[in-house]
Amino acid sequence: MSVVQSLRVSFEVFSPEICLLLYLLSVGQEVQRASVISNLPSLVRQNPAETFRRVVPKVREVLNGAGAEIQLAAAGSFLTILQDDIILIHTHTYSILKTVLLHLNHRDTVVSNAWLETLLSAINALPKETIKQEVLNPLLYQSQLSHSLQARLASCRILGKVACKFDSQIVKKELLPLVRSLCQDVEFEVRSCMCRQLESIARATGVDDTRTELLPELVELADDEESSVRLAAFDTIINLMEMMDGDDRLHVVVPLVMSVCEVSSQADEALLASLSFQFGKLCSGLAGSLSDEQKSRLLQKFKVLCVSGLQTEGNQTDGTESALIRCNCCYNLPAMVVFSESTHFLAEIYPSFSSLCCDPEVSVRRSAAASFHQVVKLLGSNVHLVHKEFLALLQDDALEVLDALMNHLEDTLEAVLSRGENLTLDNKFPELLSALLLAEQKVGCSLRWRLHEKLLQRYSCLARLLPGELLHQSFSPRIFIILTTNKVLPVQKEAARTFCTFLRYNRKQEQRQEMMERLIQDLAQGRSYWNRLRFLDVCETATEVFSRKYFNKHFLIPALELVHDPVANVRYKLCQLLPRLRSSLRLPADKQLLQQLDFCVQKLLCREKDKDVVATIRKFHKRQERDLLDQKKEKEETLLLEMEQLERQQTEGKLNSEKHTERKRRDSKTSLSATKSMSVSSSGATLSSSGKEMRKAKLSRSRSLSSQPTTSKSTNSDRPLKLKELSGTSGPGKSSMISSKDDSLRTAHFTMATQSTPSMPVLIRSNTTSLLDRASTLDHRSSTMEHKTSTLDQRDHRTITLDHRTSNMDHRNNMMEQRTGTMDHRTSTLDHRTSTLDQRDHRTSTLDQRDLRTSTLDQRDLRTNTLDHRDHRTSTLDQRDHRTSTLDQRSKTMDRGCGVKDNPSRKLSINRKSNSFSVQSGRD
């Protein structure tokens, strides 16, 4: 009754799913409980808080006294929760840890190991303090001899897991004493388990503590009386060899390895299996610490291990263990080739290598094939030594061996065909080619199509390694047969890729043309639709192998011709391939091909009847329309950008032209002012010089020619006035003024000469020559000014040309603006039309509503007419009643007037009364 009450409370508070789980855990069967506990991780993902608050405590109650099935389910669920990081570490891991520690020492070994795995996974998520309090303290108690063997084994594994969580000081102080005691346990299972955990403890303590504390324990365990303990010690020492120095390797590892090598194979096969697995690592790590004798002993031991288990002297050991030893030897073959050096390979390793490649066990030959490519790379130029073994592996009857060899066949063939001796390879080419072909045929006849696909994929490397003539004669026909006859689609596609690769790397044009013609005739134009489908597969592969130019030249037209194919599957495949064919075209070089492709698309859109083909071609057509629209938008965007750049250039050109014209105007003004100042300065200089000369002449005349003072004064006084007038004039008639000035000067001098006395001829001549020189100087200056004026005219002409160009650019801009305005006008017209159509639609809807209302009114009018008709009938009946009443009154008056009541009148009155009664009843 209490269970039912608790369930009622749960149903009122929690979700129905959790309530159902609680119900099944409480009263369900064992299978139902195990199912609920198994689904606990998914419930934690959905609602972790309620699950840990309500369901997990109920699971703990169920686990108390539960069977092994529920215990295993709970351990697996908690392990999944911890490994998947479903919960928060610091929130709920502690509650899981309590449950795990409670059931760790279960009496069933399987259940105990399951809870131990859960605990080891929980240690990674727990903090150090929790581990130290909840795990280490019980561990110290459980590791004592008084506890069970199972508890001590669990303590060993927990110690190895916990050591990496603490630093070296805590490990040395708290864990190492417990480790030593477990290494000296009386049970060999405990010693072996603890020995295997010493590697993680040694990495946690460090190199120094490992040498002083753990290495002596390992050496002692290596001499244990139990073989499992010796094997564990041997594996641990080899794994810790990288932490040892040269002395430790020389004095500890080397004697240990030599002692193990001396053990007979029949005495301890498990130790020999471990030795065979670690042999390559041992030889590589101890190569610098071994003497020549020790190296030869190790090589001899390796040879013995390679033939371990085979019939020798009439004895044969266990086949499974010996086959494992030989497989380990195959795994260590590359390391042993390095250890013995490639120069000694033929004498030391080759016999063992050959025996392993021809071993009777398939697993051994498969291991040898898996490591064959590494051995070939290490041999280098001596690769021809293993040519026989390579052929043997290629021709092996077991497909597992061929599968292992195919994984790295490209590396193997590259090493065999490029590094060997040319003469030897020329003689062995036919054998190698025949072996490769036989291997393909063997795989093709089997049902392992994935191996066949892998083999064809690896054979594509032959196009780079073998001559084109050999490929064309031997491999290309075989690949083409596979392409046309094989029924597995992945194999066909891989054959198509290999055939295209052979076609691409073939250097002879005739052979390439022959291969293309065969493709078109047998596949593209084949009678079977299956072959035509394969041609489309070849085209799909050819787009990846060949260049666009080669594909468009040889593959595109035959593929487009399949648009006329009568089989819908072929057309459907072609429609699926159309986007890839379209992407291979480049305009404007492939414009004609693009037109043909568009024609095929239009033809399919018009004539196709198959719904799948129509759906595919419409999808491609819509995609093509989107691409065209995108291209149109891109062109418009680029046009807008160009217009913007053109407008900027025009505005910048206008500004530059205006600035240039301003500069020219300023330069012309400054040049004119400079010429004016130069003319004024020159005229002033001439006037000053002439004034000085005139003064001197006056003085001389005043001294010598005192008889004529007035004439000289008058001439001298008139001359400066004329010069001042000349200097003050400016404008376009400057040169004429300068010439008139020279003439006036000349006339003045000549008048002076005529008026003066003949006693002054020297002075007059000198003044005249000086004036002539000055006049020539002025003429030269005037010519210079004319040249500058012509230069300015040329500049003005250039300015006019620039203005004309600017006006042309403005005209073009105006045209572009007009076009833009036209486009805007068209856009506005379209918008107006659209709005008009919208208004029309609105009007139409309004008219429809009006029609609806009109129909309603018509119905109402019909009803009204009906009512009017009824009223009219009623009025007619009323009139009849009125007439009847009038006739009654008349009959009464006639009866009263005549006083005679005969039977006919009574009958008439009775009839009238009956008629009135019938009328009244009809009215009612």
Side-chain angles (χ1 to χ4, degrees):
M1 191 68 182
S2 61
V3 174
V4 175
Q5 292 178 356
S6 63
L7 288 173
R8 287 178 181 176
V9 174
S10 300
F11 271 106
E12 293 176 359
V13 177
F14 302 106
S15 63
E17 184 179 1
I18 293 179
C19 296
L20 179 61
L21 295 178
L22 293 175
Y23 176 77
L24 292 175
L25 290 174
S26 299
V27 298
Q29 298 179 1
E30 186 175 0
V31 178
Q32 293 175 331
R33 293 178 181 181
S35 177
V36 171
I37 295 172
S38 299
N39 293 322
L40 196 61
S42 60
L43 189 62
V44 171
R45 291 188 185 94
Q46 295 174 2
N47 193 356
E50 295 298 330
T51 302
F52 276 96
R53 193 160 68 90
R54 299 290 300 173
V55 180
V56 173
K58 194 67 178 177
V59 171
R60 291 175 190 163
E61 294 178 5
V62 173
L63 288 176
N64 293 327
E69 185 178 357
I70 295 179
Q71 293 280 345
L72 292 175
S77 297
F78 287 131
L79 181 62
T80 304
I81 292 172
L82 291 171
Q83 288 178 349
D84 294 346
D85 295 333
I86 301 174
I87 60 173
L88 296 175
I89 294 174
H90 301 290
T91 306
H92 304 295
T93 308
Y94 184 74
S95 61
I96 295 177
L97 180 63
K98 287 290 186 182
T99 306
V100 172
L101 293 175
L102 183 64
H103 301 280
L104 186 61
N105 296 322
H106 197 273
R107 60 181 180 272
D108 191 350
T109 307
V110 178
V111 176
S112 177
N113 290 330
W115 284 113
L116 178 61
E117 293 295 333
T118 306
L119 176 61
L120 296 177
S121 179
I123 287 174
N124 294 326
L126 290 173
K128 295 181 180 180
E129 293 77 9
T130 305
I131 294 174
K132 193 172 183 180
Q133 294 175 2
E134 301 293 336
V135 179
L136 286 182
N137 292 333
L139 189 65
L140 295 173
Y141 177 71
Q142 292 179 1
S143 61
Q144 298 176 2
L145 293 174
S146 59
H147 284 77
S148 63
L149 174 63
Q150 184 177 347
R152 298 202 301 276
L153 290 173
S155 300
C156 295
R157 296 191 62 184
I158 294 171
L159 275 175
K161 192 70 176 180
V162 168
C164 61
K165 298 287 289 187
F166 299 99
D167 54 3
S168 60
Q169 296 297 328
I170 296 177
V171 172
K172 183 179 179 180
K173 183 178 180 181
E174 298 184 5
L175 299 183
L176 282 182
L178 186 59
V179 169
R180 291 194 192 95
S181 64
L182 291 173
C183 287
Q184 303 296 330
D185 197 274
V186 294
E187 298 291 339
F188 71 93
E189 292 93 344
V190 178
R191 297 198 302 273
S192 176
C193 183
M194 192 66 248
C195 186
R196 298 216 176 257
Q197 303 300 323
L198 287 179
E199 180 182 355
S200 59
I201 296 173
R203 298 185 186 279
T205 55
V207 178
D208 296 334
D209 293 332
T210 300
R211 291 182 61 190
T212 57
E213 302 291 339
L214 297 179
L215 194 57
E217 295 291 337
L218 285 172
V219 172
E220 185 177 355
L221 290 171
D223 294 333
D224 197 270
E225 58 185 3
E226 292 293 333
S227 61
S228 60
V229 180
R230 294 197 302 270
L231 178 60
F234 179 72
D235 292 337
T236 305
I237 290 173
I238 294 175
N239 293 330
L240 292 176
M241 191 168 55
E242 59 185 13
M243 299 180 65
M244 302 178 186
D245 55 4
D247 295 336
D248 293 334
R249 292 181 182 179
L250 183 61
H251 296 93
V252 176
V253 182
V254 173
L256 177 63
V257 171
M258 293 302 168
S259 62
V260 172
C261 290
E262 292 175 356
V263 177
S264 175
S265 60
Q266 296 180 356
D268 194 354
E269 288 189 354
L271 185 60
L272 287 179
S274 177
L275 176 64
S276 64
F277 183 74
Q278 302 279 1
F279 209 89
K281 187 176 182 180
L282 278 172
C283 293
S284 299
L286 299 176
S289 303
L290 295 174
S291 60
D292 295 337
E293 182 182 358
Q294 291 173 340
K295 286 183 178 180
S296 62
R297 289 173 61 187
L298 288 176
L299 289 173
Q300 191 65 31
K301 184 62 179 178
F302 182 74
K303 294 177 183 178
V304 173
L305 292 175
C306 288
V307 294
S308 175
L310 299 178
Q311 292 182 359
T312 56
E313 297 180 359
N315 295 326
Q316 188 174 6
T317 58
D318 186 12
T320 304
E321 196 70 25
S322 60
L324 178 62
I325 292 173
R326 297 198 300 276
C327 288
N328 291 336
C329 291
C330 294
Y331 170 76
N332 289 299
L333 273 174
M336 296 309 298
V337 172
V338 175
F339 181 70
S340 64
E341 297 179 359
S342 60
T343 56
H344 300 88
F345 172 78
L346 186 61
E348 300 293 342
I349 305 297
Y350 177 74
S352 301
F353 178 76
S354 180
S355 65
L356 291 173
C357 291
C358 301
D359 196 271
E361 291 290 335
V362 176
S363 60
V364 179
R365 298 199 304 273
R366 181 179 58 191
S367 301
S371 60
F372 192 86
H373 67 287
Q374 297 179 352
V375 176
V376 167
K377 288 181 180 179
L378 293 172
L379 289 177
S381 60
N382 296 323
V383 68
H384 63 278
L385 298 175
V386 295
H387 184 77
K388 179 182 177 182
E389 286 71 25
F390 183 47
L391 295 178
L393 293 175
L394 281 174
Q395 297 172 358
D396 198 289
D397 295 332
L399 294 179
E400 292 83 359
V401 178
L402 196 58
D403 190 5
L405 190 64
M406 287 299 119
N407 292 328
H408 302 278
L409 182 64
E410 185 175 357
D411 298 334
T412 306
L413 288 175
E414 186 175 358
V416 169
L417 297 175
S418 61
R419 297 181 183 178
E421 297 179 359
N422 294 328
L423 295 176
T424 307
L425 283 178
D426 291 338
N427 297 327
K428 295 179 180 179
F429 257 141
E431 297 179 358
L432 180 60
L433 295 180
S434 62
L436 291 172
L437 289 172
L438 287 174
E440 187 277 324
Q441 292 177 4
K442 186 186 302 180
V443 175
C445 295
S446 67
L447 298 177
R448 300 185 60 177
W449 61 267
R450 290 184 178 84
L451 178 58
H452 198 188
E453 180 186 6
K454 185 193 294 186
L455 185 141
L456 292 175
Q457 183 181 1
R458 299 296 185 269
Y459 276 11
S460 61
C461 68
L462 295 174
R464 298 183 291 103
L465 301 175
L466 294 180
E469 190 69 26
L470 288 174
L471 285 176
H472 185 70
Q473 292 178 358
S474 57
F475 281 92
S476 296
R478 179 59 188 169
I479 299 298
F480 191 80
I481 291 172
I482 297 171
L483 180 61
T484 55
T485 59
N486 198 285
K487 302 302 181 183
V488 182
L489 185 60
V491 176
Q492 290 177 354
K493 290 186 176 181
E494 199 58 45
R497 182 177 296 277
T498 305
F499 190 82
C500 290
T501 306
F502 289 171
L503 177 60
R504 182 188 178 191
Y505 287 98
N506 196 331
R507 298 180 182 179
K508 292 186 178 181
Q509 184 65 27
E510 297 178 356
Q511 295 177 358
R512 296 174 70 178
Q513 188 66 27
E514 181 183 351
M515 295 170 71
M516 277 303 307
E517 290 177 356
R518 191 171 182 183
L519 274 177
I520 294 172
Q521 291 178 1
D522 295 349
L523 293 182
Q525 300 175 0
R527 297 181 62 184
S528 174
Y529 84 98
W530 191 263
N531 290 336
R532 298 194 293 273
L533 286 174
R534 296 295 72 77
F535 178 75
L536 293 177
D537 290 335
V538 172
C539 291
E540 185 177 359
T541 305
T543 56
E544 302 173 1
V545 176
F546 295 99
S547 63
R548 292 191 180 96
K549 183 177 180 181
Y550 189 88
F551 176 80
N552 295 334
K553 183 178 179 181
H554 295 89
F555 289 92
L556 184 60
I557 300 300
L560 293 178
E561 289 177 354
L562 293 176
V563 72
H564 308 286
D565 198 275
V567 181
N569 289 339
V570 180
R571 300 195 301 274
Y572 179 72
K573 181 71 175 179
L574 177 62
C575 293
Q576 289 180 337
L577 194 61
L578 282 177
R580 185 167 294 190
L581 299 180
R582 176 65 180 83
S583 63
S584 65
L585 300 177
R586 288 293 178 268
L587 297 177
D590 300 330
K591 187 175 181 180
Q592 295 181 355
L593 296 176
L594 180 61
Q595 290 177 357
Q596 293 183 8
L597 190 144
D598 293 337
F599 177 74
C600 294
V601 172
Q602 295 297 330
K603 188 171 183 180
L604 287 172
L605 287 173
C606 296
R607 299 183 181 181
E608 186 58 47
K609 297 181 180 179
D610 188 81
K611 60 180 182 179
D612 296 329
V613 181
V614 171
T616 308
I617 195 64
R618 284 179 179 176
K619 187 184 297 184
F620 171 74
H621 187 62
K622 289 181 181 179
R623 180 180 177 183
Q624 195 173 8
E625 289 180 350
R626 287 196 298 267
D627 294 340
L628 293 175
L629 182 61
D630 184 70
Q631 291 177 3
K632 185 178 179 181
K633 291 180 181 178
E634 186 177 356
K635 288 181 180 179
E636 291 177 356
E637 292 171 357
T638 54
L639 181 61
L640 291 174
L641 291 175
E642 290 177 357
M643 291 173 63
E644 184 180 0
Q645 292 178 359
L646 185 61
E647 290 176 357
R648 289 180 181 177
Q649 291 177 0
Q650 288 176 357
T651 52
E652 290 177 358
K654 287 181 180 180
L655 294 175
N656 292 329
S657 62
E658 290 176 359
K659 290 180 182 179
H660 189 65
T661 52
E662 288 290 334
R663 288 177 183 175
K664 283 185 176 181
R665 290 173 183 174
R666 290 176 183 175
D667 293 340
S668 61
K669 289 180 180 180
T670 53
S671 63
L672 289 173
S673 62
T675 52
K676 289 179 182 180
S677 62
M678 288 174 63
S679 63
V680 170
S681 62
S682 63
S683 62
T686 54
L687 289 172
S688 62
S689 61
S690 62
K692 289 180 182 181
E693 291 177 355
M694 293 300 290
R695 288 174 184 175
K696 290 180 182 180
K698 286 180 180 180
L699 289 175
S700 62
R701 291 191 187 100
S702 64
R703 290 177 182 176
S704 59
L705 300 173
S706 58
S707 62
Q708 297 177 352
T710 57
T711 58
S712 63
K713 288 180 180 180
S714 62
T715 55
N716 291 327
S717 60
D718 294 336
R719 190 175 299 148
L721 291 172
K722 293 179 180 178
L723 291 171
K724 289 179 181 179
E725 291 175 359
L726 291 171
S727 63
T729 58
S730 62
K734 191 173 182 181
S735 59
S736 62
M737 293 297 292
I738 292 171
S739 61
S740 64
K741 179 182 69 174
D742 295 336
D743 295 336
S744 64
L745 287 173
R746 290 175 184 175
T747 54
H749 280 289
F750 280 114
T751 55
M752 286 175 63
T754 54
Q755 292 177 0
S756 62
T757 58
S759 63
M760 297 294 293
V762 178
L763 292 173
I764 292 170
R765 290 177 182 175
S766 63
N767 292 328
T768 303
T769 54
S770 63
L771 289 173
L772 291 173
D773 294 334
R774 290 171 185 170
S776 63
T777 305
L778 290 173
D779 292 335
H780 178 69
R781 289 178 180 175
S782 63
S783 64
T784 306
M785 290 298 295
E786 290 176 357
H787 179 69
K788 291 181 178 178
T789 305
S790 64
T791 306
L792 290 173
D793 293 336
Q794 292 177 359
R795 290 180 180 176
D796 292 335
H797 180 69
R798 292 177 183 175
T799 304
I800 292 168
T801 305
L802 290 173
D803 293 336
H804 181 67
R805 291 180 180 175
T806 305
S807 64
N808 290 332
M809 295 297 290
D810 294 335
H811 179 67
R812 291 180 182 177
N813 290 330
N814 294 327
M815 292 295 291
M816 293 298 293
E817 290 175 356
Q818 288 178 2
R819 291 179 181 177
T820 307
T822 305
M823 293 297 292
D824 295 335
H825 178 66
R826 290 180 180 177
T827 306
S828 63
T829 304
L830 290 174
D831 294 336
H832 179 67
R833 290 179 180 176
T834 306
S835 63
T836 304
L837 290 174
D838 294 335
Q839 291 176 3
R840 289 180 180 177
D841 295 336
H842 180 67
R843 289 177 184 175
T844 304
S845 62
T846 306
L847 290 174
D848 294 336
Q849 293 177 0
R850 289 180 180 177
D851 293 336
L852 180 63
R853 292 176 183 175
T854 304
S855 62
T856 306
L857 291 174
D858 292 337
Q859 292 177 0
R860 290 180 181 178
D861 292 337
L862 181 62
R863 293 176 183 175
T864 305
N865 293 327
T866 306
L867 292 174
D868 292 338
H869 186 65
R870 290 179 181 178
D871 293 337
H872 179 68
R873 289 180 180 177
T874 305
S875 63
T876 304
L877 292 173
D878 293 337
Q879 290 176 3
R880 288 180 180 177
D881 292 338
H882 180 67
R883 289 177 182 176
T884 305
S885 62
T886 304
L887 290 174
D888 292 335
Q889 290 178 2
R890 286 182 181 179
S891 63
K892 287 180 181 181
T893 53
M894 288 177 68
D895 291 335
R896 288 175 185 176
C898 296
V900 180
K901 296 181 181 178
D902 50 359
N903 291 328
S905 63
R906 290 179 181 176
K907 291 179 181 180
L908 180 63
S909 62
I910 291 169
N911 291 331
R912 288 178 179 173
K913 288 181 181 180
S914 63
N915 290 331
S916 64
F917 180 76
S918 64
V919 170
Q920 185 67 30
S921 63
R923 183 184 301 173
D924 294 337

